[in-house]
Amino acid sequence: MITLKDISKKAGKSITTVSRALNGYDDVSPETKKLVRKIAEEMGYHPNINAQRLQKQKTDTIGFIIPTFGPRFSDPFFSEFLAGVGNKASDLGFDLLVSTQPTGEKEFEAYHKMMDGRRVDGFIIVRTRRNDERIRYLFGKNYPFTVFGRVEDRNDFPYIDEDGAYGMQQIADHLVSLGHTRIGCIAPDPELMFAATRLEGLKNGLAAHNIQLDESMHRVGDLTQKGGYEQAKFLLSGRTPPTAIVACNDLMAIGAMSAAQDLGLEVGRDVSITGFDDIPLAEYAHPSLTTVHQPIYQIGSMVCDMLINIVKGRTLEQKQIILKPSLIVRESSGPR
């Protein structure tokens, strides 16, 4: 096995210099780094990652515990987000430890295990709740974390979020411009912070046009296609059904379109349906889905980059970032 001592001898440099050159330290000249890396490659040197991690008391691994709200993990939002996180982690020389857990006791057990066993250097949190115990817990432990989303009270932690209220106001403006005034909404549990924000944005957007969201037109779904299907069928089967349905995520919107079609309605003509997130499936649904676009993959990458900078002890240029989403008009929305 080739060691640092072997490279040191051939390069004519100290073992310390060779080690720092291979690890990219700034106090080693570019010429020395190039020389050492060339020799290491020629000699077939492979670092002992586990030994390095033990020596610096770091795992070079970040934790991502995905909260599941049903028996299966099937939300393409998380697939996009996870791809952004995983690719950025790999680019920066970090591993990613992923666990899917139902919210509650098992979720916290996963955090305990990863922290107590020093299996990860920090966590990424998603789908924040109004009063998020995960954030409170990690604050108390002084454990590194970054968040996609905000909470209701303290937001003095590192996060990236999209302006969900602004996105829903765009939806409201769009539907009203098409002549819709009787509008239904399918939103998830209001304890989820993004759900509360999006619902508030829709209400405010409609109020700007002197339209009030009728409480009988507001249904709670579970973020799945099935949930969207069931709630849309309930809304559309009433005596005075809505002419448009706003779903707070794309999966529920796609489920709502299926419900409308099963009732013999043409989506985009007889009823308009909109979503939020712009998952890849949205563009290829039948009809294609009008939705609010947020760059899910890029957000995953940004949140990961932010966490790794914190783990490495670097000062963040921006500790809180709020992105503006954009409305993507497709075939599922049309004139009243």
Side-chain angles (χ1 to χ4, degrees):
M1 178 184 287
I2 303 298
T3 66
L4 292 179
K5 186 176 180 180
D6 299 323
I7 299 172
S8 167
K9 187 175 180 180
K10 187 166 184 179
K13 306 289 182 181
S14 70
I15 293 176
T16 300
T17 299
V18 167
S19 175
R20 295 181 75 79
L22 290 172
N23 285 288
Y25 282 88
D26 294 336
D27 59 355
V28 180
S29 70
E31 294 79 13
T32 299
K33 286 179 185 175
K34 185 176 180 181
L35 171 66
V36 169
R37 288 170 180 168
K38 183 173 182 291
I39 292 172
E41 185 178 349
E42 289 172 351
M43 297 180 75
Y45 171 73
H46 298 286
N48 186 330
I49 300 297
N50 290 330
Q52 288 181 350
R53 290 174 176 177
L54 283 172
Q55 187 176 21
K56 64 183 181 180
Q57 296 186 318
K58 293 286 185 183
T59 66
D60 289 345
T61 303
I62 57 176
F64 183 25
I65 300 172
I66 302 176
T68 55
F69 298 91
R72 292 181 299 158
F73 170 68
S74 58
D75 192 336
F77 164 87
F78 282 119
S79 301
E80 281 289 289
F81 186 82
L82 186 58
V85 172
N87 288 337
K88 175 56 71 172
S90 178
D91 289 345
L92 297 176
F94 274 65
D95 293 327
L96 178 62
L97 181 59
V98 179
S99 175
T100 57
Q101 298 291 342
T103 58
E105 188 176 333
K106 287 189 176 180
E107 183 182 36
F108 271 91
E109 281 180 12
Y111 279 98
H112 290 315
K113 285 180 182 178
M114 287 190 191
M115 290 173 60
D116 294 345
R118 293 299 304 182
R119 296 170 66 186
V120 299
D121 296 328
F123 291 97
I124 289 173
I125 294 177
V126 294
R127 291 257 162 101
T128 53
R129 297 138 208 179
R130 285 189 170 193
N131 297 297
D132 205 304
E133 290 293 333
R134 297 170 298 174
I135 292 172
R136 194 173 292 113
Y137 176 71
L138 293 174
F139 253 128
K141 294 290 186 179
N142 197 28
Y143 216 86
F145 69 94
T146 54
V147 183
F148 176 29
R150 287 168 282 175
V151 295
E152 200 164 52
D153 46 10
R154 60 182 297 178
N155 283 293
D156 55 346
F157 49 83
Y159 68 77
I160 294 173
D161 199 9
E162 47 77 32
D163 191 340
Y166 172 77
M168 288 302 248
Q169 287 164 10
Q170 288 184 299
I171 288 283
D173 290 343
H174 171 63
L175 292 176
V176 172
S177 74
L178 293 172
H180 296 281
T181 56
R182 187 164 177 78
I183 296 170
C185 175
I186 306 173
D189 185 342
E191 281 305 305
L192 289 170
M193 191 64 196
F194 83 89
T197 301
R198 291 178 189 181
L199 182 59
E200 181 185 9
L202 177 63
K203 288 180 176 179
N204 290 341
L206 293 175
H209 298 281
N210 297 314
I211 299 170
Q212 185 174 357
L213 180 65
D214 189 331
E215 285 304 313
S216 67
M217 292 286 102
H218 172 210
R219 303 292 295 175
V220 176
D222 62 359
L223 296 170
T224 66
Q225 283 177 259
K226 181 182 178 183
Y229 181 95
E230 291 171 347
Q231 300 308 326
K233 200 164 189 179
F234 179 90
L235 289 171
L236 294 171
S237 299
R239 284 187 177 182
T240 51
T243 63
I245 295 176
V246 177
C248 283
N249 79 327
D250 287 345
L251 277 188
M252 291 196 296
I254 291 168
M257 289 200 296
S258 295
Q261 289 161 349
D262 283 355
L263 290 170
L265 301 173
E266 183 179 339
V267 177
R269 190 190 71 176
D270 300 323
V271 62
S272 290
I273 296 175
T274 65
F276 201 116
D277 285 335
D278 198 23
I279 59 176
L281 185 60
E283 185 177 358
Y284 302 104
H286 297 287
S288 57
L289 180 64
T290 293
T291 187
V292 175
H293 174 77
Q294 56 174 337
I296 305 169
Y297 178 94
Q298 288 85 347
I299 291 172
S301 178
M302 292 167 68
V303 171
C304 179
D305 184 66
M306 184 182 279
L307 177 58
I308 290 173
N309 275 308
I310 292 170
V311 167
K312 290 186 174 183
R314 297 170 181 163
T315 301
L316 298 177
E317 291 183 13
Q318 282 184 279
K319 192 176 178 181
Q320 287 100 19
I321 300 171
I322 298 178
L323 305 173
K324 287 280 189 185
S326 56
L327 178 66
I328 306 295
V329 177
R330 297 194 180 105
E331 298 167 340
S332 69
S333 59
R336 178 184 173 187

